[in-house]
Amino acid sequence: MIFDTHMHTEFSFDSSEKIEKLLETSEKKNLGIITTEHKDLNYEEVGGFPIDFNVDEYFKAYEKHRSDRYLMGIEMGLDHRYTGELKKIADSYEFDMVIGSLHTMKGFNLSSRKYLKSMEERAFYREYLLYTKEMVEENSFINSLAHFDYPTRYSPYKELKYEDYLEEFNALFQSMVQQDVTLEMNLKRPLAGDVLDSFRSVYKGYYDCGGRFVTLASDAHTAEDIGRNFEEAQQLLDDIGLKICYYKRRKRITD
């Protein structure tokens, strides 16, 4: 069964979706799902607001629904200052999957259009990819790395291409392979035009660096978005030779 490995419910600040609706929709679409609620311990410090949830209440509410087609995860915002605390949380609960995300970098909000507009494109992308590599190496307990294109969505920059930042991408992907961290394919945006060209380039580069597995992620915040753009993603991954996986009890599953 294909799993959608990244989505949010009412335990996340930016969703009001009910777990029952997700389960009903996933069954209709014949997809497994993993809920991955937001925990960004540093977000208030970058001019945002607290992004957190009660993990005990999460398990109390959703554990009863756990099955072969519904698994429980978490999305953690990575930051040097919180590595120890995040690892402690990841190790203290029976998550099926732990996603690592970069929503911030060195005290800046990566969805800040003002910040991104102030940065020179190539300098920013080089720093971002290097920082991502550092975060992967420092947080080797994560299972997957989310949405490499996150800052691009909020910036005036062109889409990332592997060949434009060979040294930085090679270093990042080699670290991911060494740490056994899977690259997520986040499908919040349709795979078409420049986005498709970017994804083809980046995931082919990942494969060339030894990456063999990818998680599929709708990043849904409403039930209707479960599995969005999966058909196009599966075709792209087949073309490259990458295998789709998900995680159960923190172990990679490829069936």
Side-chain angles (χ1 to χ4, degrees), residues 97-116:
M97 182 172 179
V98 175
I99 297 175
S101 294
L102 274 78
H103 298 128
T104 67
M105 180 176 73
K106 299 180 180 179
F108 290 98
N109 186 336
L110 289 178
S111 64
S112 169
R113 299 180 192 276
K114 181 179 180 180
Y115 165 65
L116 293 168

Side-chain angles (χ1 to χ4, degrees), residues 3 11 15 19 26 58 102 107 190 208 232:
F3 267 75
F11 274 95
S15 175
I19 184 63
S26 66
Y58 175 53
L102 274 78
D208 289 344
E232 297 87 347

Side-chain angles (χ1 to χ4, degrees), residues 182-195:
T182 299
L183 183 61
E184 173 188 279
M185 181 173 281
N186 191 287
L187 297 158
K188 195 176 186 73
R189 300 189 292 169
L191 284 181
D194 290 344
V195 174

Side-chain angles (χ1 to χ4, degrees), residues 10 47 50 77-78 81 114 118-119 121 139 194 198 230 235 249-250:
E10 59 187 335
L78 306 182
R81 294 165 296 173
K114 181 179 180 180
S118 73
M119 297 289 289
E121 179 176 322
N139 298 271
D194 290 344
S198 167
F230 271 30
Q235 182 60 60
R249 303 295 185 185
R250 309 291 300 281

Side-chain angles (χ1 to χ4, degrees), residues 8-10 15-19 21-22 62 221-224:
H8 301 274
T9 74
E10 59 187 335
S15 175
S16 59
E17 193 57 275
K18 301 291 186 182
I19 184 63
K21 185 66 173 177
L22 290 182
Y62 290 1
H221 289 65
T222 61
E224 64 185 8

Side-chain angles (χ1 to χ4, degrees), residues 132-231:
T132 304
K133 171 183 175 289
E134 293 173 358
M135 288 294 93
V136 167
E137 292 175 348
E138 190 172 300
N139 298 271
S140 58
F141 59 88
I142 64 173
N143 299 121
S144 68
L145 177 68
H147 43 52
F148 76 88
D149 62 329
Y150 181 79
T152 306
R153 303 173 191 172
Y154 304 96
S155 77
Y157 311 151
K158 66 180 182 180
E159 299 290 334
L160 275 164
K161 292 283 190 69
Y162 170 72
E163 55 269 25
D164 291 340
Y165 299 91
L166 275 173
E167 182 178 345
E168 292 82 6
F169 268 123
N170 283 343
L172 168 60
F173 291 154
Q174 287 164 12
S175 288
M176 291 180 68
V177 171
Q178 290 169 4
Q179 301 289 347
D180 200 23
V181 172
T182 299
L183 183 61
E184 173 188 279
M185 181 173 281
N186 191 287
L187 297 158
K188 195 176 186 73
R189 300 189 292 169
L191 284 181
D194 290 344
V195 174
L196 176 58
D197 291 342
S198 167
F199 276 43
R200 188 182 305 278
S201 168
V202 169
Y203 287 89
K204 178 62 166 60
Y206 172 64
Y207 180 87
D208 289 344
C209 287
R212 291 297 179 265
F213 304 101
V214 168
T215 56
L216 292 185
S218 68
D219 208 345
H221 289 65
T222 61
E224 64 185 8
D225 286 333
I226 292 173
R228 61 181 161 191
N229 303 313
F230 271 30
E231 185 175 344

